[in-house]
Amino acid sequence: MAPTEIHGDVRTEEFLLNMGPQHPSTHGVLRVVVRTDGELVLEAIPHVGYLHRCFEKCSENSTMKAVVPYTDRMDYLAAMCNNITYSLAAEKLLGWEKLIPRKTTIVRTLLFELQRIASHLMSVGTYGLDVGAITPFLHCFRERERLLEIFEEISGQRLNYSYVYPGGFQYPWPDAINKKIKAFLVYFEDRIKEYNELLSYNGIFVERTSGIGVLPPDMAADYGCTGPMLRGSGVARDLRWDQPYLVYDELKKEGVFQVRYYGDRMPNPADQMVKWELGVKGDCWSRYMVRAGELEQSRRMCLACLAKLEKLTDADKEAGAVSVIKEADKQYLAPKGQEAYFKCENPRGELAYYLVGDGKANAYRVKARAPSFNNLQVLTEISRGAMVADLVAIIGSIDIVLGEVDR
Amino acid sequence: MISLLAEDARPDRGTGILELVQLLVKPETYDKWAPVLVPAASLAIILLFLLPVVATVFPMFAIWLERKVSAHMQSRLGPMEVGYHGWLQTIADGVKLLAKEDIIPGGADKALFVIGPVITLAGVFVMLAVLPLGPHLIPADLNVGLFFLAAVGSIEVLGILMSGWASNNKWSLFGTIRLATQLVSYEVPLGVSFVTVTALAGSLSMQEIVREQHGWIWNWFVFRNPLMPLVFIIFYIASLAENKRAPFDLPEAESELVAGFHTEYSGMRFSIFFLAEYVAMYVVSAIGACIFLGGWHTGIGPLDHFLQGSRGGWGGEAVSLKVALLANVIGVSVVFAKAWFLIFVQMWLRWTLPRIRLDQVMDLCLKFLLPASVVFFVASVAWEVVPWEQLCRSLPLAERLPRAIVFAFYSSLVGLWFKWFWSTFQVPLQRSVQEKPWVTSGAFTT
């Protein structure tokens, strides 16, 4: 029998609720076992593993090139970012960093940020859905659809692109797409304002999400939360800034990173640590607003990348048009015992790959550090004492992708 | 209910049906058969008009409209395949639902599970009986009409409680508890807003309340005094909650409770709940139209006088059957137009707003709507007590002045809001015309 508690004269009994793995708002096959007292959540324990596909073991038995399609299926909403992160890790292992043409690097940055926009559109839209607003979701999907069309034209795929490979791209970059991307980015500016009017500053939405699921900065750091989860709590950590990869250091120097604050307390602008989209309170609304703000931030970075592409010399353009993969196909041989660890700021947090060479075409060990997995751990802590409706809002604000949690 | 009709007929004003029957048959036949004819005519209205129109055509159209409204708000097209712009889609869906297997879960309480949806639907349908449709058209003009609506409206809760409990499902139980909490709470502000109207009209009879709003548009109860628009807003919010429409759709919150109280229902039993929801939408909108927005009155003085006059005994002169029928056709159209507008607003809100949480639902009701409705009730009664006729006798418009000012104030508020609203969606429209997708003109400079 469930233990009973007595509040005043009313005897209440705990209620064990199994939420998922088939539930509309657990964002996949997450199962949360919830102990409730009426509408109050006493404890919510996430159970993962329903989508476990032995990614790491499969990767160790494939050539390093053949691992790329597996990475697509981890964070399937940000497949391009996974491809790029894995490719950068593999290039580091193989010692190819210097071989990569400048155009390829710029295009990878562009793809990274475009993918971030697509991923955050999904996150922002489904977060509206989680709190009951259906229309913003479809508005976000309208724009995401255009992005997917762009990706389709680039890679031939709409979701699992497998476009970026260690050494270059699967297909040469279609230069004609630059114009379409720019047109989308120009068109997208007003749409961000629309989302903010419709959802972000909607009174009911703010009431539903602010002050809910507060994640203190130290707890976020203890649990290894990264990405918007961490920045929503006011911790200034963004790998694009701290350890710039690709061309982020140039974007940083050009001042494309914009500073905006959400929440009821303004951080001290003199604080040099605070330089980018930050939430302050660490509640669901802050985390949501970090993502909504990054839409605009990424849009600017994409435009800056397009400008860089335009400024490239003809020699650079030609160098970039040739994929390194073709020539280097037989050289996917990492020295035995060689290690490489590379991490990138994915839309959901820090994605890292740890590779160990084996002297063969496949790696001895492939380990992925998935941001969603670490972010999800904190669910039990931040949902204690919330209501059942809040639990859904909290799960939505963590923005998990189960493909990445379970791998 | 129907047997009450003959007793309810008062010689000076009479029920609409009575007059209609008087016009239809010879006087000697009427004298002999009135006790039979009047209930028979009411039954005929229900069977020939309300059941086919409201039970089948109305939900069909409402569901289609809901899908279209949502689709166009979300930049989609909605159903387009079955019939012109998908207008037959609801029928196709209905056929699908009918053809589905009838599943009763093993752990369910079968009797309650089966009877729950039926009671829900019956509770909603009975409310249609006292809703006026035209000067003569009302199935049962009870002298306790408004009270009857409030009372019978609670039967719906009973049916849903039964089916939620009988489902033996934890999500259903959650939904049911939320529903009971929400509906029982919101019946209080709803009831107080009914009482306010009753105090102004001096009657609980629906036809009597509608007749009190005779004349120009400022005679509608919503403009009767400065507090009535606020009472109307309270009524509307409470009716949204009673109807489980967004932002109060907690009992069936899809993202939280899977499908709430009807999680275990499928096929025809589910569609009965669906039907009940859409009929309830019409019922609350028609109540709003009748007790606040003048019912079958057009808001144009002379036309309203004609509608009233068509009721024989009211104007004193006898009228012909043709006149009576014309008045009823106008009346039905006007009631439907007003009800449809309110239904559209319900849809508009549903597809715009997020859902609020249970504690916020209760806070809104107990901390805001309930005290506000009581205060507005007392204040609007106090306003009626003030002798405006004497105070305003020497001023322009005389005793009509206070109502005209109230009307002008609130209608200008609505006008300003509409101007702002119009401007907000004109700007993006122009922009999207200028900036055609995929065609860029402005060069980006770093």
Side-chain angles (χ1 to χ4, degrees):
Chain A
M1 283 297 289
T4 54
E5 283 179 26
I6 297 177
H7 301 295
D9 289 326
V10 185
R11 181 180 288 266
T12 59
E13 220 170 277
E14 283 181 7
F15 190 66
L16 198 68
L17 196 61
N18 182 39
M19 199 170 172
Q22 287 90 25
H23 186 276
S25 57
T26 50
H27 292 246
V29 285
L30 174 65
R31 173 173 166 234
V32 185
V33 176
V34 193
R35 275 201 301 127
T36 62
D37 182 2
E39 283 272 334
L40 285 179
V41 175
L42 300 177
E43 195 174 26
I45 300 169
H47 290 241
V48 298
Y50 289 87
L51 202 56
H52 185 57
R53 293 151 300 171
C54 308
F55 158 77
E56 287 165 8
K57 200 67 203 167
C58 288
S59 304
E60 287 158 17
N61 293 316
S62 312
T63 60
M64 290 175 70
K65 186 183 168 187
V67 171
V68 170
Y70 284 119
T71 64
D72 284 333
R73 283 143 185 91
M74 278 179 56
D75 184 352
Y76 43 79
L77 295 178
M80 204 66 97
C81 297
N82 288 15
N83 290 349
I84 293 170
T85 311
Y86 174 76
S87 302
L88 290 171
E91 281 160 14
K92 192 174 174 186
L93 182 71
L94 297 161
W96 289 358
E97 290 112 317
K98 298 281 180 278
L99 289 175
I100 308 301
R102 179 167 163 75
K103 185 182 171 188
T104 307
T105 312
I106 295 171
V107 165
R108 282 177 178 182
T109 317
L110 175 64
L111 286 174
F112 211 98
E113 292 306 313
L114 277 182
Q115 181 69 81
R116 190 187 307 277
I117 292 175
S119 172
H120 281 343
L121 276 177
M122 181 83 177
S123 158
V124 164
T126 52
Y127 196 48
L129 208 59
D130 284 340
V131 296
I134 301 161
T135 302
F137 169 70
L138 282 134
H139 282 213
C140 289
F141 259 51
R142 179 184 62 195
E143 271 71 73
R144 183 169 176 268
E145 189 64 25
R146 298 200 162 175
L147 267 176
L148 293 193
E149 278 167 20
I150 289 172
F151 284 134
E152 191 179 3
E153 201 163 329
I154 296 169
S155 66
Q157 300 286 331
R158 285 169 61 80
L159 200 64
N160 296 322
Y161 309 109
S162 303
Y163 179 64
V164 182
Y165 273 81
F169 300 126
Q170 174 77 331
Y171 311 108
W173 176 254
D175 284 312
I177 201 83
N178 292 2
K179 213 174 170 184
K180 281 193 180 180
I181 294 173
K182 189 187 268 183
F184 169 78
L185 295 170
V186 170
Y187 155 86
F188 188 54
E189 189 177 8
D190 285 346
R191 302 287 90 76
I192 299 172
K193 286 173 196 157
E194 263 184 32
Y195 307 146
N196 285 339
E197 280 172 17
L198 189 58
L199 189 65
S200 309
Y201 298 107
N202 181 307
I204 294 177
F205 178 74
V206 176
E207 279 292 312
R208 272 298 304 275
T209 53
S210 71
I212 302 301
V214 177
L215 175 63
D218 49 345
M219 190 196 284
D222 289 350
Y223 275 86
C225 295
T226 44
M229 278 291 275
L230 190 65
R231 292 197 286 278
S233 297
V235 180
R237 180 177 165 86
D238 189 326
L239 289 181
R240 292 173 291 172
W241 188 281
D242 294 337
Q243 301 170 12
Y245 49 96
L246 299 174
V247 294
Y248 285 113
D249 48 347
E250 291 174 33
L251 296 175
K252 191 171 145 188
K253 277 173 207 145
E254 287 162 15
V256 184
F257 276 102
Q258 283 287 310
V259 190
R260 268 188 296 170
Y261 306 98
Y262 303 100
D264 50 7
R265 183 174 59 84
M266 235 4 216
N268 183 11
D271 183 0
Q272 288 301 307
M273 290 294 285
V274 181
K275 297 179 190 74
W276 41 83
E277 300 292 346
L278 272 182
V280 178
K281 282 170 75 177
D283 55 0
C284 291
W285 193 72
S286 301
R287 291 194 279 275
Y288 165 85
M289 284 310 285
V290 169
R291 295 191 183 99
E294 280 184 357
L295 287 177
E296 173 63 14
Q297 190 190 42
S298 294
R299 193 188 76 85
R300 284 162 195 254
M301 287 200 217
C302 287
L303 284 171
C305 288
L306 284 175
K308 280 183 199 303
L309 281 179
E310 280 171 21
K311 277 191 230 160
L312 281 181
T313 59
D314 288 348
D316 276 341
K317 280 180 186 169
E318 274 173 33
V322 183
S323 177
V324 189
I325 301 173
K326 297 281 184 311
E327 296 94 81
D329 217 359
K330 287 174 188 166
Q331 300 164 22
Y332 273 89
L333 299 174
K336 191 162 187 171
Q338 178 86 19
E339 291 177 15
Y341 185 80
F342 198 87
K343 52 187 174 181
C344 285
E345 187 69 29
N346 252 34
R348 279 168 192 77
E350 291 174 16
L351 174 71
Y353 282 98
Y354 171 64
L355 304 175
V356 180
D358 200 16
K360 294 185 218 156
N362 52 339
Y364 175 73
R365 176 84 174 95
V366 178
K367 160 78 184 149
R369 185 251 184 236
S372 292
F373 182 73
N374 285 50
N375 289 350
L376 181 61
Q377 293 180 56
V378 87
L379 175 68
T380 310
E381 294 279 352
I382 62 178
S383 62
R384 199 164 285 144
M387 300 184 81
V388 174
D390 293 336
L391 181 63
V392 172
I394 291 169
I395 293 174
S397 78
I398 295 175
D399 187 24
I400 43 168
V401 166
L402 266 297
E404 192 179 59
V405 174
D406 295 341
R407 300 197 286 282
Chain B
M1 165 186 65
I2 287 163
S3 63
L4 284 172
L5 274 165
E7 302 158 25
D8 194 38
R10 275 176 284 169
D12 54 337
R13 292 191 175 176
T15 64
I17 299 273
L18 205 63
E19 321 265 310
L20 203 64
V21 174
Q22 266 175 350
L23 288 170
L24 278 167
V25 298
K26 288 174 191 164
E28 56 270 26
T29 323
Y30 177 79
D31 291 343
K32 202 174 173 186
W33 293 103
V36 181
L37 278 175
V38 173
S42 309
L43 209 59
I45 295 175
I46 293 179
L47 289 180
L48 297 176
F49 187 77
L50 281 179
L51 275 183
V53 170
V54 181
T56 58
V57 178
F58 168 77
M60 201 185 93
F61 183 67
I63 292 167
W64 175 83
L65 185 75
E66 173 113 59
R67 295 177 78 167
K68 280 295 184 187
V69 166
S70 66
H72 286 280
M73 284 181 73
Q74 297 164 350
S75 37
R76 305 183 277 123
L77 286 173
M80 289 296 284
E81 294 297 323
V82 193
Y84 177 73
H85 278 253
W87 71 280
L88 288 170
Q89 183 67 46
T90 321
I91 293 178
D93 286 345
V95 171
K96 182 204 75 176
L97 286 170
L98 272 171
K100 281 180 103 169
E101 187 190 350
D102 178 27
I103 299 169
I104 299 178
D109 184 327
K110 272 184 190 151
L112 289 183
F113 189 83
V114 171
I115 207 169
V118 180
I119 288 181
T120 309
L121 188 67
V124 176
F125 262 93
V126 169
M127 292 167 90
L128 288 170
V130 292
L131 292 175
L133 291 157
H136 299 103
L137 282 182
I138 175 167
D141 186 16
L142 303 186
N143 53 6
V144 288
L146 206 50
F147 180 70
F148 178 83
L149 284 175
V152 171
S154 313
I155 292 178
E156 192 192 345
V157 189
L158 190 67
I160 294 176
L161 277 175
M162 282 163 86
S163 43
W165 178 255
S167 295
N168 194 17
N169 178 315
K170 288 182 177 180
W171 301 117
S172 303
L173 187 63
F174 254 96
T176 310
I177 292 167
R178 284 183 177 190
L179 178 110
T181 320
Q182 178 178 323
L183 263 61
V184 168
S185 312
Y186 275 80
E187 256 161 31
V188 183
L190 197 70
V192 176
S193 65
F194 283 174
V195 168
T196 315
V197 170
T198 313
L200 297 191
S203 171
L204 279 165
S205 151
M206 291 301 279
Q207 281 291 51
E208 204 68 35
I209 290 171
V210 172
R211 260 179 247 134
E212 278 294 318
Q213 306 176 52
H214 170 69
W216 288 94
I217 189 167
W218 46 77
N219 284 351
W220 293 0
F221 280 141
V222 70
F223 296 121
R224 186 57 66 98
N225 64 44
L227 299 149
M228 285 310 280
L230 306 174
V231 175
F232 176 62
I233 290 170
I234 287 176
F235 161 81
Y236 199 78
I237 294 173
S239 74
L240 280 177
E242 286 284 298
N243 245 0
K244 316 179 287 294
R245 295 285 294 181
F248 299 97
D249 57 346
L250 295 94
E252 44 196 288
E254 194 224 329
S255 57
E256 294 155 27
L257 303 184
V258 189
F261 63 86
H262 57 64
T263 305
E264 293 288 357
Y265 282 85
S266 64
M268 203 53 210
R269 286 185 215 289
F270 162 74
S271 69
I272 290 175
F273 276 125
F274 209 55
L275 206 65
E277 191 191 326
Y278 278 81
V279 176
M281 261 168 78
Y282 172 75
V283 168
V284 293
S285 302
I287 294 174
C290 287
I291 68 176
F292 286 101
L293 304 179
W296 36 263
H297 284 121
T298 54
I300 302 163
L303 194 55
D304 278 1
H305 194 68
F306 161 73
L307 290 178
Q308 290 272 23
S310 73
R311 299 195 61 265
W314 177 256
E317 315 103 41
V319 290
S320 71
L321 185 62
K322 277 177 192 170
V323 171
L325 287 180
L326 177 66
N328 281 324
V329 168
I330 295 174
V332 171
S333 325
V334 170
V335 170
F336 273 20
K338 287 170 182 171
W340 275 111
F341 173 73
L342 293 182
I343 288 169
F344 171 74
V345 176
Q346 283 193 353
M347 292 176 179
W348 188 3
L349 290 175
R350 171 169 178 184
W351 297 105
T352 308
L353 295 178
R355 183 186 307 118
I356 62 179
R357 210 167 51 213
L358 188 65
D359 59 328
Q360 292 164 348
V361 169
M362 300 309 291
D363 278 1
L364 180 67
C365 179
L366 300 176
K367 291 183 184 167
F368 173 69
L369 292 184
L370 184 55
S373 62
V374 172
V375 168
F376 294 157
F377 165 62
V378 172
S380 64
V381 170
W383 176 277
E384 292 300 312
V385 171
V386 175
W388 293 109
E389 288 181 24
Q390 289 171 23
L391 291 174
C392 303
R393 193 172 289 155
S394 56
L395 297 167
L397 286 173
E399 78 277 1
R400 294 202 202 104
L401 185 65
R403 277 181 204 171
I405 291 172
V406 170
F407 173 69
F409 176 69
Y410 280 106
S411 55
S412 58
L413 272 187
V414 172
L416 281 175
W417 173 80
F418 194 75
K419 196 184 162 198
W420 168 81
F421 170 74
W422 188 253
S423 67
T424 53
F425 85 98
Q426 283 297 301
V427 174
L429 210 65
Q430 286 162 4
R431 258 189 219 154
S432 61
V433 171
Q434 285 164 5
E435 291 166 12
K436 282 183 181 155
W438 315 127
V439 180
T440 45
S441 50
F444 178 80
T445 49
T446 42

